[in-house]
Amino acid sequence: MSLKTFTEVLNGDHELAIRLAFIDFKSFYTGSLSRTDLVNEFSVSEITATRILSEYKKVRPKNITYSNKEKKFLLEKSFVPLIDIHAEDALSMLATGFDKNKLLRGRKIIRYERIGLHQPLLNRDSIATITRSIYNKKNIKCRYYSAANADKSERVLSPLVIMFDGRNWIFRAHHENSNTLIKFKNFNFSRVIDVTETECDIDREHSLEYDELWNKFLPLELEINASLNETLKNEVRRDFSIPDEENKVLLTERAAFIWIILNQWAVSYCDNNITSAKFILKNADMLKNQGAI
């Protein structure tokens, strides 16, 4: 017997389809689901939540199994998704909350198109493995394509948090077998080659609580590149909301984010790329001493 599709459920009962999609999403990307999750998400009673779960079991009988020990439903290896959620949408919902509008076509209030922005290809299964590990505080093993070197050997990571820099989805993790003194690093989801879950809990000293760069907030002193002509300087002022005639920007950020900002904002530091830079970093020595660059 063929499994029902999300569209078939949607055509029969719109409200039920959305609720089943939530079960599908929550189970796959966190590895577990409880009746309380449904009660909180849809403001229903526990009896209604039980009925919704029964309906989900009808359309996907081998996706989740109830654990008496943990008092919740756990993801099964035989999982077959009810709805194919785009990887970027899934990450966005994990960060901001379940959004039914991301599941349905034609729900835009006004027309919207993305222009010329190439999104790195994200593998749904790899992302789900990592987000489940973050949610359940478990280590992972993965191979990763690093831009800094060609080393693709297996890494043991403790993934901790997901981030979005405006273009790339990133996760921060403790790299247990790193060959450098820096153990807490940012990893791009699109560069993960393969990843497997482990049953090893993340050690407390590998958590964000012990990540110095994550917990340290530092100032960035930026100045518009003096070599730019006045037209280009004014463009930079408009793009970054800098008042007319002013040339400096002072902001405070997590030390773990500073390298990302310097690259995104085209900031020259340590005399690199001065001619093409929009800004010059004025407190580079201090940031170097703090380990931020």
Side-chain angles (χ1 to χ4, degrees), residues 14 18 99-110:
H14 183 280
I18 298 302
D99 184 356
K100 68 179 182 180
N101 293 319
K102 291 186 182 295
L103 313 179
L104 306 172
R105 304 286 183 182
R107 300 286 291 185
K108 301 169 187 173
I109 296 174
I110 61 174

Side-chain angles (χ1 to χ4, degrees), residues 220-223 248 267-268 280-286:
L220 281 89
E221 298 177 26
L222 307 178
E223 188 173 275
K248 294 183 179 180
V267 178
S268 173
I280 306 297
L281 180 64
K282 306 301 290 184
N283 62 328
D285 289 341
M286 184 273 283

